[in-house]
């Protein structure tokens, strides 16, 4: 009877130890998986230099290595595309500036105005590309100023037909005037080109909302 009791106690102790060991291993596995998932979320959010650096040779380590390789490939691809965009915009800037000078000498008739308008649009697109490349490379710095947001938006849209601006408690806001002006111009131009008039711009504290009456 004593031997039987001893065997039962030993078996119970072994089962308990096995259960505790399983809990410890499961906890470690769960922690590693959570770390891998958190790093994958950081990569998805744009933090392309985030890496898991998983150690070992099990399935979790292989998963971590696969995610790291994916992030590395994505980072290299985006950097190549960013550099290509910057190079193209830089190469186009000089000839377009010369073309703008030449277009300014054209007669002030319908043809001359159309050419100047197209050249100005191309130059704005090139400047936007350069701006995007600077922001992506973190080489651009914001020129922040306190301005009356409602008055600022109204001045940007003043010469655009079929655009109305309303303000609702808009007050002084800290913005980069040059960059915000470019954004507002582009959005209004896009609404006018692909939407339908009138274009309504509503300005409230810290918010600019635009609405057109097109089908999209």
């Amino acid at each position: 009877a004593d031997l039987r009791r001893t065997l039962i106690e030993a078996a119970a102790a072994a089962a308990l130890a096995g259960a505790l060991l399983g809990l410890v291993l499961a906890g470690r596995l769960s922690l590693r998986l959570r770390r891998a998932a958190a790093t994958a979320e950081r990569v998805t959010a744009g933090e392309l230099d985030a890496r898991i650096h998983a150690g070992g040779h099990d399935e979790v380590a292989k998963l971590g290595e696969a995610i790291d390789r994916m992030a590395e490939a994505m980072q290299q691809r985006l950097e190549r595309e960013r550099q290509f965009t910057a190079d193209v915009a830089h190469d186009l800037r000089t000839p377009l500036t010369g073309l703008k000078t030449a277009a300014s000498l054209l007669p002030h008739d319908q043809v001359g105005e159309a050419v100047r308008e197209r050249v100005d649009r191309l130059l704005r697109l090139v400047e936007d590309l350069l701006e995007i490349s600077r922001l992506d490379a973190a080489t651009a710095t914001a020129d922040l100023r306190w301005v009356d947001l409602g008055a600022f938006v109204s001045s940007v849209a003043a010469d655009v037909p079929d655009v109305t601006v309303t303000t609702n408690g808009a007050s002084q806001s800290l913005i980069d005037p040059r960059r915000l002006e470019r954004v507002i111009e582009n959005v209004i131009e896009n609404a006018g080109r692909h939407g339908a008039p009138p274009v309504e711009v509503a300005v409230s504290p810290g918010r600019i909302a635009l609405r057109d009456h097109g089908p999209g």
Side-chain angles (χ1 to χ4, degrees):
D2 293 339
L3 178 60
R4 185 177 181 181
R5 185 180 303 108
T6 301
L7 291 175
I8 293 175
E9 291 175 352
L16 179 60
L20 291 175
L21 179 60
L23 287 175
V24 172
L25 292 176
R28 291 181 59 187
L29 178 63
S30 177
L31 178 61
R32 293 172 67 195
L33 287 173
R34 286 199 301 272
R35 287 176 177 172
T39 303
E41 289 291 340
R42 290 166 59 193
V43 173
T44 303
E47 193 177 340
L48 298 181
D49 57 349
R51 298 292 184 270
I52 297 173
H53 298 301
H57 303 282
D58 57 5
E59 286 76 7
V60 177
K62 293 178 180 179
L63 174 63
E65 292 172 358
I67 294 176
D68 285 350
R69 288 196 301 269
M70 178 192 68
E72 182 70 23
M74 188 181 301
Q75 185 178 26
Q76 291 178 358
R77 179 178 178 181
L78 289 177
E79 288 176 353
R80 288 195 300 267
E81 291 178 352
R82 184 183 303 137
Q83 187 60 47
F84 175 77
T85 300
D87 292 343
V88 169
H90 187 270
D91 291 342
L92 287 174
R93 192 179 193 181
T94 299
L96 281 175
T97 302
L99 187 59
K100 179 179 177 65
T101 302
S104 66
L105 303 176
L106 293 174
H108 291 278
D109 54 14
Q110 186 175 2
V111 175
E113 293 300 329
V115 171
R116 280 187 285 271
E117 190 271 334
R118 297 297 190 278
V119 172
D120 287 341
R121 179 175 295 178
L122 284 173
L123 271 173
R124 287 198 300 271
L125 288 175
V126 169
E127 291 296 336
D128 287 344
L129 288 175
L130 286 171
E131 185 76 6
I132 290 171
S133 65
R134 295 190 192 102
L135 291 173
D136 287 341
T139 59
T141 56
D143 180 18
L144 298 177
R145 304 177 189 177
W146 288 100
V147 301
D148 186 313
L149 191 59
F152 178 81
V153 175
S154 298
S155 66
V156 173
D159 298 328
V160 185
D162 297 320
V163 176
T164 60
V165 179
T166 58
T167 59
N168 181 21
S171 58
Q172 294 287 317
S173 299
L174 188 62
I175 65 170
D176 185 326
R178 181 179 65 83
R179 291 190 172 97
L180 183 58
E181 180 180 8
R182 182 67 59 83
V183 171
I184 295 172
E185 289 175 344
N186 288 343
V187 173
I188 290 177
E189 182 180 356
N190 183 73
R193 184 182 303 171
H194 302 289
V199 177
E200 300 171 352
V201 184
V203 185
S204 55
R207 178 181 174 86
I208 302 173
L210 184 141
R211 177 175 182 266
D212 64 63
H213 291 74

